[in-house]
């Protein structure tokens, strides 16, 4: 019995080590961030990653809605999902902008910050207003500052809801350097 238990534990350890090695290979394969480039004070944002795909819901890139390409999030019964993009920025003032549309977005039965909106991981920032229910295309924005020589910031288009859909217009997703 002891030998069988030892073999089972050794196999489980081998499986965990193999999985961890694969995770580390993925992390190391990601090229380092380059300093964000702006043209006339504006950077268009591409390369969004889906995070926390909800059970019973979906995150769909390039979905057409109202004739616009959009990052879409369809809520499942318990959704805290997002599209995320990490950027490297020099010191300065910035504004993250996008047009947001919602349909039938219902709040979760717990927690705070329900609805669809924008958020930035930079210290001292707030999130954009969060929309519940159905809302036609509305401009959202979050202003923030960076002070480090080069600072990594994560831009987030999120939906926290128990039902509904949110769209973030792909052509309107941009980062503005504020003079």
């Amino acid at each position: 019995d002891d030998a069988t238990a030892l073999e089972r534990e050794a196999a489980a350890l081998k499986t965990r080590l193999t999985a961890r090695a694969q995770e580390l290979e993925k992390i190391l394969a990601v090229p380092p961030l380059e300093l964000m480039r702006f043209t006339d004070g504006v950077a268009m944002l591409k390369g969004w990653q889906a995070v926390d795909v909800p059970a019973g819901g979906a995150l769909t890139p390039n979905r057409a809605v109202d004739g616009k390409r959009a990052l879409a999030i369809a809520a499942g019964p318990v959704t805290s999902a997002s599209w995320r993009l990490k950027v490297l920025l020099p010191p300065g003032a910035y504004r993250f902008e996008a047009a947001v549309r919602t349909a039938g977005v219902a709040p979760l039965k717990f927690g705070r910050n329900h609805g669809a909106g924008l958020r930035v991981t930079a210290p001292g920032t707030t999130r954009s207003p969060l929309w519940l229910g159905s809302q036609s295309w509305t401009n959202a924005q979050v202003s923030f500052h960076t002070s480090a020589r080069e600072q990594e910031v994560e831009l987030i288009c999120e939906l926290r809801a128990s039902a509904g859909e949110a769209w973030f217009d792909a052509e309107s997703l941009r980062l503005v350097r504020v003079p």
Side-chain angles (χ1 to χ4, degrees), residues 2-78:
D2 288 343
T4 303
L6 183 59
E7 287 177 5
R8 185 174 46 249
E9 291 301 318
L13 178 60
K14 183 179 176 183
T15 300
R16 287 195 309 271
L17 288 172
T18 301
R20 181 63 179 147
Q22 290 171 345
E23 288 174 24
L24 290 172
E25 286 175 5
K26 282 184 192 176
I27 291 169
L28 293 172
V30 175
L33 289 176
E34 292 185 17
L35 208 54
M36 179 66 68
R37 293 195 178 130
F38 291 83
T39 303
D40 296 326
V42 176
M44 301 309 288
L45 305 170
K46 307 233 185 279
W48 293 89
Q49 301 294 313
V51 175
D52 295 330
V53 177
L59 277 83
T60 311
N62 297 320
R63 177 153 173 225
V65 60
D66 294 345
K68 298 176 185 243
R69 271 186 330 104
L71 301 176
I73 305 175
V78 179

